[in-house]
Amino acid sequence: MDKRIPVTLLTGFLGSGKTTLLNKLLHNPAMKDTAVIINELGEAGLDQIFANSQISQTIESEHIADNTVLLSSGCLCCSLKNELADTMRDLFFKRSLQAVPEFNRLVIETTGMADPGPILANLMNEPVIESVYRLDAVVVTIDAAYGLQQIAEQKEALKQAAVADVLLITKRDTATPEQIEALQAKLSEINPNATQKFVLHGEIDPMQIIDVGLFDFASKQASPQRWLRAPASGFSAAKKGTLPKAPAHDGVSTFTVYLPKPMAYADFKSVILKLCQTHGEKLLRMKGILHVEDAPAPLAIHAVHFTPYPPTLLEGWDEEEPISRVVIIGKGIDEEAVREMLTQF
């Protein structure tokens, strides 16, 4: 089990309901032992969170450090006033020094206009950050009524939807059934591997969006099938060379590459680096599972743009037929070139 602190990146376009969602999450007892970094300059600073709270009872909180508040729910809130990496380091060091309560997970809220790709890539490039934190999932809020228009007109909204692990469709009561159906279909085209969930007035079980990535904390085991959300059933078609070319929607395509075996990570590592260097600008996200001969267990790999993430050893996990596969999400990316590069060795 990876002992690093899991990180949930929560984003969504302007007006998609992140503030309302955060209000409910911050005061939910299930968020105990969770730290939340909130953009003070964004649409959901700490003051606004408190001002907009829909909790009828008095909010009990305690300022325990600069820009840090501990709520009665046990949720630790930190406003983002420095660079994100600085804030994450500061939180961890305060945790180590017991200046703040020990937290077991971290949620990062971004501004509505944020492209999540560079944020993820920057975090992966920070040695201290990488050694103590790991990405659990990207969660994106989508407005049920205006989501289609935003995705069509705003590149940030499109990228947010494309890289998400979980898509939260908000404000369902403001949209027609036809609008919702069209939005769900569009999201399935852009990101078929993401889980779609409905959220009304910010109400959602926190367990639906945290600890939903590579590791299942309930079972204390890795859950690569859930993380990849790419069925292994396509492997037989891949062996026969009959996989259809992934359709691109607004230039965004998602496809799975099944890798030959046997293989060694020492050889494949250079391929991953080459992939990022060659296609990094168009590579929104890559994640995969490798069954290799030079490791005692399968490896989970992950990359964003030009930055590959160090592999995670999945001890204690196996599948009936070990299949190495990589999911690629790209905008304007050359699928045939990527497939050839990943399978050339």
Side-chain angles (χ1 to χ4, degrees):
M1 189 83 175
D2 194 325
K3 300 299 183 181
R4 293 174 296 173
I5 299 170
V7 176
T8 300
L9 185 65
L10 174 62
T11 187
F13 201 69
L14 295 170
S16 61
K18 287 199 309 299
T19 299
T20 303
L21 179 66
L22 277 171
N23 278 331
K24 296 300 178 71
L25 288 176
L26 290 176
H27 299 92
N28 191 314
M31 292 292 284
K32 186 179 184 295
D33 301 327
T34 300
V36 180
I37 296 179
I38 301 172
N39 267 293
E40 188 69 21
L41 299 178
E43 56 198 290
L46 284 182
D47 292 339
Q48 190 172 351
I49 284 290
F50 298 145
N52 292 343
S53 176
Q54 299 177 20
I55 305 298
S56 59
Q57 62 190 27
T58 301
I59 301 172
E60 297 180 6
S61 61
E62 177 187 0
H63 285 267
I64 55 177
D66 292 340
N67 305 326
T68 305
V69 174
L70 179 65
L71 298 182
S72 58
S73 64
C75 184
L76 182 69
C77 303
C78 179
S79 59
L80 176 61
K81 289 190 174 180
N82 300 314
E83 293 293 329
L84 178 57
D86 292 337
T87 302
M88 292 178 71
R89 278 193 295 266
D90 184 54
L91 261 181
F92 179 75
F93 290 144
K94 287 179 179 176
R95 174 184 183 265
S96 301
L97 296 172
Q98 298 183 334
V100 300
E102 182 170 345
F103 54 91
N104 297 320
R105 64 174 66 89
L106 174 66
V107 176
I108 300 173
E109 176 266 343
T110 74
T111 63
M113 294 296 290
D115 179 350
I119 296 175
L120 295 173
N122 287 337
L123 296 183
M124 293 176 186
N125 266 329
E126 293 281 344
V128 175
I129 300 299
E130 182 274 323
S131 66
V132 298
Y133 295 101
R134 64 171 178 82
L135 177 66
D136 181 64
V138 178
V139 178
V140 178
T141 53
I142 307 282
D143 189 300
Y146 297 104
L148 272 178
Q149 178 183 347
Q150 292 167 346
I151 289 172
E153 298 177 355
Q154 304 291 338
K155 62 180 182 180
E156 292 84 4
L158 175 61
K159 289 183 178 179
Q160 289 168 358
V163 303
D165 295 295
V166 181
L167 292 164
L168 301 180
I169 301 176
T170 63
K171 306 182 182 180
R172 186 179 186 178
D173 55 334
T174 67
T176 65
E178 292 76 19
Q179 284 178 311
I180 294 173
E181 184 178 355
L183 175 60
Q184 286 190 283
K186 186 65 173 179
L187 293 176
S188 295
E189 293 174 354
I190 295 172
N191 190 346
N193 299 323
T195 300
Q196 296 183 21
K197 298 181 183 297
F198 287 104
V199 179
L200 188 60
H201 306 308
E203 295 285 358
I204 190 171
D205 179 354
M207 295 301 108
Q208 297 291 314
I209 61 174
I210 59 177
D211 298 338
V212 297
L214 182 59
F215 291 99
D216 182 352
F217 273 73
S219 63
K220 303 296 183 183
Q221 292 182 343
S223 182
Q225 297 93 334
R226 180 185 65 183
W227 181 59
L228 284 181
R229 295 177 174 87
S233 57
F235 183 58
S236 58
K239 289 192 292 185
K240 298 176 183 178
T242 57
L243 275 176
K245 184 177 178 63
H249 302 278
D250 300 314
V252 174
S253 60
T254 301
F255 55 93
T256 301
V257 180
Y258 297 92
L259 305 174
K261 57 181 183 181
M263 63 182 297
Y265 181 71
D267 298 328
F268 194 68
K269 182 178 180 180
S270 61
V271 178
I272 298 174
L273 292 173
K274 184 179 179 181
L275 172 69
C276 292
Q277 292 167 357
T278 306
H279 300 281
E281 184 177 353
K282 300 177 180 179
L283 180 64
L284 300 181
R285 195 171 180 190
M286 177 204 78
K287 50 185 178 179
I289 300 296
L290 304 181
H291 293 269
V292 294
E293 295 181 318
D294 52 347
L299 299 175
I301 59 171
H302 188 201
V304 176
H305 288 305
F306 298 95
T307 309
Y309 199 60
T312 300
L313 189 67
L314 304 179
E315 293 183 287
W317 176 82
D318 204 351
E319 54 187 341
E320 292 183 6
E321 183 180 3
I323 301 172
S324 296
R325 54 201 185 272
V326 176
V327 175
I328 300 290
I329 304 171
K331 190 176 193 310
I333 199 165
D334 188 334
E335 179 181 343
E336 293 182 4
V338 170
R339 287 188 180 278
E340 182 179 356
M341 182 179 293
L342 291 177
T343 59
Q344 63 182 332
F345 67 96

